[in-house]
Amino acid sequence: MQFLTQYLKQYGGFTFDEKAFCELDALVFSQLAYIDFNGVVENGEITIESASSNYYLLHSQQEIDSFIGISEKAVRLLSLCAKTLRFGQVRICNYVNNINDEIDKQFSGVEFLFGDDVVVAFRGTDITVTGVKESAMLSYMFPVPAQIEALHYFQESAMTCNGRVYACGHSKGGNLAVFACVNCSNSLKKHIAGVYEFDAPGFPKWFFERYDYAQIKDRLHFYAPQSSIVGRMLTHDAVPVVVQSTNSGLKQHQVSSWVIDNGCFEECESFDSFSDYVADYINDLIEYVGEDDLEVFFDTLEFVAENLQINDYYDLKTIDFRRISRLVDKVQNTDEAQKERFKQILKKAFSDFTREYIKSHFQKLNNKKTP
């Protein structure tokens, strides 16, 4: 069984002239976008090989070992890329990382250049409740501040390219890539060769009725694991490539678990039943809460989850609802009627998710026992 690191070992000796750019290259660049390149990528360009050396000069091994999740995996991937013919001499430039807590904006983008071609990669979010909440913002605020900045960044950084232009991103980064490519100028659209979104949240349904979306539709590529949650929020128009993952549940969002075979994703026929259940539940919940209350509802949910130290839905089965009720009472920006309504919604949601998780867990155990 192979993963992204094995792809580097198997095909790292091929240049982009010898083996054309593909979705796995886009996935590599999407993961490298999670690296904090401050102090590594300054003015001008730097190769991935040099960037890796500079990064390890700026950060001790002890510090790097303390990284968790996507950040740790991205740094390790940078080191592996630096040692390959395919990626080592790719140039990095135009790194941007802007965070504004007052307007809930987290935006980061970076350019990768090889030959005359450019890949614009956008950073996404992690699998914490906060990360999911940031994706959920797309359901009640459109466009979000990060989407606007992504468009400006893409237009300015890619417009000078004389070759092919690719855009990519994982999680929210994939959503930013699609938004930027749909809304960019017609002259830039002509250079776009592919847009790659990996387990990224979608858009309002009306977004796909726009003429500028139709102009770019045939170049969109959407990939998500079989138990995808984040990638099934809101609506997608592109037919998904469903990828096999060795993780379970929300942890399939980590692309390091996605299975690769001979330079291609190992595909599944469809999303699994738990993904279907959660996707339908979240989208129905968004509609039920209502547009006027969505923002304060997700703020309440985030406050509750952080105080209960809930990192993903695996933690729900140990939660006492009385604690949830007390926390909802402490939320400052809600009136009494909202608090009572949110308590009932959260009580039902936590109960439903716990029951479905247990059902799904036993189904998987039974499937393993079946010859």
Side-chain angles (χ1 to χ4, degrees):
M1 190 173 290
Q2 295 184 329
F3 302 96
L4 193 58
T5 53
Q6 280 77 28
Y7 170 73
L8 293 180
K9 295 175 182 177
Q10 186 173 0
Y11 293 99
F14 293 89
T15 67
F16 286 101
D17 290 329
E18 294 169 334
K19 184 185 185 306
F21 182 92
C22 69
E23 64 272 16
L24 294 178
D25 299 311
L27 183 60
V28 169
F29 292 125
S30 295
Q31 294 304 286
L32 295 180
Y34 280 101
I35 295 173
D36 180 4
F37 284 115
N38 279 315
V40 177
V41 179
E42 300 294 345
N43 296 327
E45 302 172 1
I46 185 173
T47 65
I48 284 179
E49 183 180 36
S50 297
S52 179
S53 297
N54 289 355
Y55 191 90
Y56 279 87
L57 288 174
L58 287 171
H59 302 275
S60 68
Q61 189 61 53
Q62 183 179 5
E63 181 184 0
I64 294 170
D65 290 341
S66 70
F67 293 163
I68 59 174
I70 293 176
S71 297
E72 181 271 331
K73 291 178 174 64
V75 172
R76 184 151 47 90
L77 191 66
L78 177 70
S79 179
L80 293 173
C81 286
K83 300 171 184 176
T84 66
L85 176 65
R86 188 171 185 81
F87 293 99
Q89 297 307 304
V90 169
R91 291 111 58 208
I92 311 174
C93 64
N94 290 338
Y95 172 67
V96 171
N97 185 34
N98 291 331
I99 298 174
N100 188 326
D101 293 332
E102 291 183 3
I103 58 174
D104 285 321
K105 183 184 74 172
Q106 176 270 318
F107 171 79
S108 183
V110 61
E111 277 188 89
F112 299 96
L113 310 172
F114 54 95
D116 292 329
D117 300 340
V118 60
V119 178
V120 180
F122 297 98
R123 183 182 298 172
T125 50
D126 55 25
I127 63 169
T128 62
V129 171
T130 301
V132 174
K133 184 250 183 178
E134 187 175 22
S135 297
M137 282 176 60
L138 299 168
S139 64
Y140 59 79
M141 183 188 300
F142 189 86
V144 296
Q147 288 173 327
I148 297 297
E149 187 159 356
L151 171 60
H152 293 316
Y153 175 84
F154 182 71
Q155 185 70 43
E156 293 177 7
S157 61
M159 65 184 300
T160 58
C161 176
N162 294 320
R164 288 163 293 200
V165 175
Y166 302 93
C168 62
H170 168 253
S171 193
K172 189 189 74 172
N175 177 281
L176 299 183
V178 173
F179 183 89
C181 290
V182 167
N183 289 281
C184 72
S185 66
N186 288 334
S187 58
L188 179 51
K189 276 191 176 73
K190 295 176 183 178
H191 291 277
I192 297 174
V195 187
Y196 299 85
E197 48 178 338
F198 301 99
D199 207 22
F203 295 87
K205 292 180 180 179
W206 56 260
F207 181 80
F208 306 106
E209 299 171 0
R210 296 167 45 176
Y211 174 71
D212 45 7
Y213 173 79
Q215 289 179 300
I216 200 74
K217 178 179 179 178
D218 63 334
R219 285 163 279 178
L220 296 181
H221 308 279
F222 174 45
Y223 304 85
Q226 72 264 34
S227 292
S228 173
I229 303 301
V230 174
R232 303 197 67 191
M233 296 179 70
L234 300 176
T235 303
H236 284 277
D237 182 63
V239 177
V241 175
V242 182
V243 182
Q244 181 182 340
S245 168
T246 55
N247 281 350
S248 58
L250 194 57
K251 292 182 180 179
Q252 289 192 4
H253 194 56
Q254 299 171 340
V255 303
S256 58
S257 71
W258 293 12
V259 181
I260 294 166
D261 182 32
N262 286 326
C264 298
F265 286 121
E266 187 74 26
E267 297 182 23
C268 302
E269 290 185 3
S270 62
F271 294 112
D272 64 24
S273 59
F274 190 73
S275 176
D276 288 338
Y277 173 83
V278 177
D280 290 342
Y281 198 102
I282 290 176
N283 289 323
D284 288 346
L285 180 64
I286 288 171
E287 185 174 345
Y288 177 75
V289 172
E291 186 175 336
D292 293 340
D293 287 338
L294 269 177
E295 183 171 4
V296 68
F297 174 76
F298 279 113
D299 285 342
T300 301
L301 179 60
E302 182 182 30
F303 175 79
V304 169
E306 286 180 344
N307 280 273
L308 294 178
Q309 295 184 323
I310 298 173
N311 290 314
D312 61 38
Y313 59 71
Y314 295 110
D315 299 325
L316 299 182
K317 58 185 183 293
T318 63
I319 300 303
D320 181 353
F321 182 73
R322 287 171 296 184
R323 293 183 63 198
I324 296 175
S325 181
R326 288 194 294 268
L327 286 169
V328 172
D329 285 332
K330 293 181 180 180
V331 178
Q332 298 295 320
N333 59 338
T334 55
D335 59 36
E336 290 305 314
Q338 284 178 316
K339 287 177 181 178
E340 290 305 312
R341 183 168 179 247
F342 290 170
K343 285 179 188 178
Q344 296 307 311
I345 292 173
L346 290 175
K347 182 177 182 179
K348 184 177 187 305
F350 278 52
S351 173
D352 290 344
F353 271 70
T354 301
R355 183 175 63 250
E356 189 63 25
Y357 166 74
I358 294 172
K359 175 183 172 183
S360 174
H361 180 69
F362 278 107
Q363 282 179 341
K364 288 178 181 177
L365 289 177
N366 288 332
N367 290 339
K368 288 181 179 179
K369 293 178 182 178
T370 303

